[in-house]
């Protein structure tokens, strides 16, 4: 018979943290969330460190250039999804690397020949009310005008009306030139009482927008994740099929780190992909691998040369791998075993390989549990899919705003390479679903609340850093009845409107 593992496969819901001594020094403003992203040797530091221990999932519905810019600006990292053409993915990477804080590349553009209907549909799709009108409808075409919500009345105007009839023409716009500083741009905005200042070059091509509403966000952000050239750091997802063609293009575009995107990382295909990267780029190109759920899988990828390793199979909110194949393991159990293997490997070799917990997060306190159980950082999809910065549509369903969210293992994603078993190009069955998640607003606002909870919990554990959390945190298992006890019970809850 098969080898039987008697340990129960457990989830984060089955654990709680026990408080430690909270000293007077343990205050939220003193908490340090910096964490290594890629491997390093004992006595050294990682070449890339996250200031916030979160990365966004390698998914079409989560990680594009806009999400990457927003998350890096708040100390985390996005891996631009790889289930698209290498040209499109590389362009997203370049957009992040070229981004200058406060100078926004326009993602909502039309031509003068489009109609009001196109404006309304684009606004609903992107959430942007400021639309650049260019000669070719591109983000860097010749700027001919601007449309904002003040230029039309959605309830009264004819949807067939051409944009050229109601846009603010270029001749009436106040603009800035490339090279203007952010302070100078904001001075112009305040002096002329503008909402938006277009930045155009000598040929009248649109370069950026500077928005009045972003003024506060452009102040120096200590958590911003930057490279040595003060550019935002960005990752890119790859697969084990076309990596020989994809990796050189992504590296040339400026990707700081790569990650193999697969539901099962314990494979020779991943080993070959890692070895190709190391043989051709040495340590100049960092590459993560996974996903795995046990010591054996960790050691295999560690010896193959992975710079970090992702842990988790079947725990994602849109993942049905366990249902379809009976493959996977409870996220907490997986993480605890792999973290132990990581620490043993470090003691034996002097090489520390960060691990990423991928999946199983339902509540914010699960994040602290994952970090306490040994994760160096956490990858999330559903969490980030809810925000304005994710690439999907915002819709009204049943009177509630939602955003679309689908798995890379769904037919919609058509990401066959993620499930590469060495033969065939078609997905034989789905391992992900197509769904909605409740719309939550801006990333920064929600992330600040989540980080506040993490810092408060760490204070209750009596620790100031993630390293201390791993070392000193006390974790207890809970019964089903104690889970009920932990929520509101034996009371009649008031309606929020009362």
């Amino acid at each position: 018979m098969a080898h039987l593992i008697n340990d129960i496969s457990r989830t984060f819901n089955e654990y709680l943290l026990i408080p430690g001594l909270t000293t007077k020094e343990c205050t939220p403003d003193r908490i340090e969330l910096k964490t290594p992203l890629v491997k390093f040797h004992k006595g050294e530091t990682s070449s890339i460190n996250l200031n916030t221990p979160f990365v966004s999932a390698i998914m079409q519905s989560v990680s594009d250039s806009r999400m990457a810019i927003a998350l890096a600006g708040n100390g985390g990292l996005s891996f631009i999804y790889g289930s698209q053409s290498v040209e499109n993915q590389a362009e997203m990477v370049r957009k992040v690397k070229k981004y200058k804080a406060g100078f926004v590349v326009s993602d909502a553009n039309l031509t003068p020949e489009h109609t009001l209907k196109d404006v309304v549909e684009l606004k609903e799709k992107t959430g942007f009310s400021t639309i650049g009108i260019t000669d070719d409808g591109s983000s860097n075409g010749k700027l001919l005008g601007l449309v904002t919500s003040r230029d039309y009345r959605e309830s009264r105007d004819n949807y067939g009306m051409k944009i050229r009839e109601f846009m603010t023409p270029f001749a009436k716009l106040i603009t800035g030139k490339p090279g203007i500083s952010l302070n100078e741009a904001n001075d112009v905005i305040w002096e002329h009482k503008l909402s938006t200042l277009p930045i155009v070059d000598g040929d009248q091509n649109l370069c950026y927008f500077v928005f009045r509403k972003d003024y506060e966000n452009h102040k120096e952000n200590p958590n911003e994740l930057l490279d040595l050239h003060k550019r935002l750091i960005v990752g890119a997802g790859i697969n084990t099929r076309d990596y020989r063609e994809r990796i050189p293009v992504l590296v040339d575009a400026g990707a700081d780190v790569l990650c193999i995107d697969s539901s099962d990382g314990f494979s020779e295909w991943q080993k070959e992909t890692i070895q190709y990267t190391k043989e051709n780029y040495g340590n100049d190109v960092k590459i993560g691998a996974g996903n795995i759920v046990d010591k054996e899988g960790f050691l295999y990828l560690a010896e193959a040369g992975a710079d970090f390793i992702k842990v988790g199979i079947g725990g994602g909110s849109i993942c049905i791998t366990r249902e379809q194949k009976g493959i996977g393991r409870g996220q907490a159990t997986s993480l605890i075993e792999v973290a132990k293997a990581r620490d043993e490997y470090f003691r034996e070799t002097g090489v520390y390989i960060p691990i990423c917990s991928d999946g199983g997060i339902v509540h914010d306190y699960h994040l602290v549990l994952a970090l306490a159980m040994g994760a160096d950082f956490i990858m999330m999809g559903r969490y980030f899919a809810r925000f304005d910065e994710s690439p999907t549509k915002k819709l009204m369903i049943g009177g509630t705003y939602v955003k679309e969210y689908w798995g890379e293992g769904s037919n919609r994603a058509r990401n066959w390479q993620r499930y590469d078993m060495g033969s065939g190009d078609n997905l034989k069955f789905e391992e992900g679903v197509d769904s909605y998640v409740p719309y939550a607003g801006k990333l920064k606002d929600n992330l600040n609340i989540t980080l506040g909870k993490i810092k408060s919990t760490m204070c209750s554990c009596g620790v100031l850093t993630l390293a201390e959390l791993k070392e000193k945190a006390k974790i207890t298992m809970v019964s089903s009845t104690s889970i009920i006890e932990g929520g509101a019970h034996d009371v009649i809850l008031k309606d929020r409107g009362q």
Side-chain angles (χ1 to χ4, degrees):
M1 63 172 288
H3 178 64
L4 182 63
I5 298 174
N6 286 317
D7 292 342
I8 296 175
S9 180
R10 299 192 181 279
T11 69
F12 293 132
N13 264 340
E14 297 176 79
Y15 295 91
L16 285 175
L17 290 154
I18 294 177
L21 174 64
T22 303
T23 66
K24 293 180 179 179
E25 287 73 32
C26 285
T27 56
D29 59 301
R30 292 172 58 88
I31 296 293
E32 173 63 66
L33 295 178
K34 190 173 184 178
T35 189
L37 178 72
V38 296
K39 69 182 178 184
F40 57 93
H41 288 81
K42 186 175 183 179
E44 300 177 352
T45 58
S46 177
S47 60
I48 305 177
N49 291 284
L50 300 173
N51 294 324
T52 300
F54 300 153
V55 297
S56 63
I58 310 169
M59 301 174 69
Q60 296 173 6
S61 56
V62 179
S63 297
D64 65 353
S65 56
R66 190 164 177 241
M67 176 62 72
I69 289 169
L71 188 49
N74 287 277
L77 179 98
S78 288
F79 289 94
I80 304 292
Y81 69 92
S83 51
Q84 60 178 320
S85 72
V86 63
E87 292 80 15
N88 288 346
Q89 187 183 19
E91 182 55 35
M92 287 187 182
V93 170
R94 278 191 287 268
K95 186 176 289 188
V96 179
K97 299 307 290 186
K98 291 179 180 178
Y99 176 81
K100 295 163 65 178
F103 293 87
V104 181
V105 175
S106 177
D107 284 331
N109 304 281
L110 294 169
T111 71
E113 298 307 308
H114 280 96
T115 64
L116 177 57
K117 180 182 178 182
D118 296 315
V119 171
V120 173
E121 289 178 349
L122 186 59
K123 181 181 177 181
E124 290 178 352
K125 178 181 178 181
T126 64
F128 302 141
S129 59
T130 299
I131 299 174
I133 310 304
T134 59
D135 60 343
D136 58 2
S138 72
S139 60
N140 55 4
K142 185 175 182 179
L143 185 63
L144 302 179
L146 203 64
V147 168
T148 70
S149 56
R150 294 179 298 180
D151 293 314
Y152 59 89
R153 293 181 295 179
E154 197 172 321
S155 60
R156 296 188 182 184
D157 289 338
N158 181 359
Y159 270 37
M161 182 169 51
K162 298 284 187 181
I163 287 176
R164 54 180 162 77
E165 299 177 41
F166 61 89
M167 72 179 187
T168 301
F170 181 81
K172 294 186 177 181
L173 295 176
I174 296 173
T175 63
K177 297 180 179 179
I180 188 174
S181 71
L182 188 58
N183 285 336
E184 291 170 336
N186 281 316
D187 287 343
V188 174
I189 287 173
W190 285 94
E191 180 182 351
H192 294 277
K193 300 180 180 179
L194 306 175
S195 297
T196 308
L197 178 68
I199 307 299
V200 297
D201 64 18
D203 295 321
Q204 204 175 310
N205 294 316
L206 177 62
C207 300
Y208 305 103
F209 283 133
V210 178
F211 293 99
R212 171 188 286 262
K213 64 182 176 62
D214 289 340
Y215 176 74
E216 291 297 326
N217 293 333
H218 301 329
K219 292 182 178 179
E220 186 176 354
N221 184 353
N223 284 329
E224 201 169 33
L225 195 64
L226 303 173
D227 63 18
L228 295 176
H229 303 287
K230 304 300 182 184
R231 300 172 302 181
L232 295 177
I233 291 178
V234 62
I238 61 172
N239 62 68
T240 57
R241 278 290 183 95
D242 66 2
Y243 61 89
R244 289 181 177 85
E245 295 76 38
R246 192 171 290 268
I247 290 176
V249 178
L250 293 174
V251 171
D252 183 65
D256 297 281
V257 58
L258 307 174
C259 184
I260 305 171
D261 181 31
S262 173
S263 66
D264 180 7
F266 194 3
S267 77
E268 291 184 340
W269 310 111
Q270 290 222 0
K271 180 178 180 180
E272 289 181 358
T273 305
I274 296 168
Q275 289 178 337
Y276 165 86
T277 306
K278 297 304 179 182
E279 288 169 1
N280 286 273
Y281 298 97
N283 288 323
D284 292 336
V285 173
K286 308 299 182 181
I287 180 169
N291 289 20
I292 50 88
V293 294
D294 62 5
K295 176 180 179 179
E296 191 177 1
F298 171 84
L299 292 176
Y300 183 82
L301 294 178
E303 292 300 320
D307 289 295
F308 68 85
I309 295 173
K310 288 201 298 165
V311 180
I313 294 178
S317 60
I318 42 70
C319 183
I320 54 174
T321 295
R322 297 179 193 174
E323 291 180 17
Q324 294 283 51
K325 296 169 62 175
I327 292 287
R329 198 179 196 186
Q331 188 66 12
T333 301
S334 302
L335 193 53
I336 290 168
E337 179 175 323
V338 174
K340 183 178 179 181
R342 184 266 322 276
D343 293 343
E344 290 175 354
Y345 189 84
F346 179 50
R347 287 194 296 268
E348 293 170 1
T349 67
V351 178
Y352 186 92
I353 303 176
I355 58 175
C356 168
S357 179
D358 180 14
I361 302 296
V362 180
H363 306 292
D364 282 351
Y365 80 88
H366 290 169
L367 298 167
V368 190
L369 279 170
L371 295 167
M373 288 174 177
D376 294 282
F377 56 97
I378 299 166
M379 176 174 280
M380 294 183 288
R382 180 190 61 85
Y383 179 88
F384 290 111
R386 304 172 300 148
F387 303 147
D388 286 325
E389 293 83 357
S390 75
T392 63
K393 295 178 181 177
K394 183 175 76 171
L395 306 170
M396 176 74 80
I397 303 291
T400 302
Y401 278 112
V402 298
K403 294 207 74 175
E404 295 179 301
Y405 179 47
W406 60 91
E408 288 298 295
S410 67
N411 250 316
R412 179 171 183 173
R414 304 183 66 80
N415 186 6
W416 322 142
Q417 294 88 347
R418 192 173 195 268
Y419 302 89
D420 184 16
M421 290 292 181
S423 63
D425 293 323
N426 294 323
L427 189 66
K428 301 301 189 296
F429 54 87
E430 291 185 283
E431 292 187 42
V433 299
D434 195 349
S435 63
Y436 301 111
V437 289
Y439 169 68
K442 292 185 178 297
L443 178 148
K444 190 177 185 67
D445 296 338
N446 289 274
L447 187 60
N448 284 339
I449 294 173
T450 297
L451 294 177
K453 292 179 183 179
I454 291 175
K455 292 178 179 180
S456 179
T457 304
M458 289 175 66
C459 288
S460 292
C461 291
V463 300
L464 291 172
T465 68
L466 295 181
E468 287 184 352
L469 181 68
K470 293 181 177 67
E471 178 185 351
K472 298 180 180 180
K474 295 177 290 185
I475 301 173
T476 182
M477 291 189 63
V478 295
S479 67
S480 58
T481 52
S482 68
I483 292 174
I484 296 173
E485 179 187 59
H489 61 91
D490 301 316
V491 295
I492 300 172
L493 295 178
K494 290 183 178 181
D495 188 297
R496 289 184 180 272
Q498 294 179 340

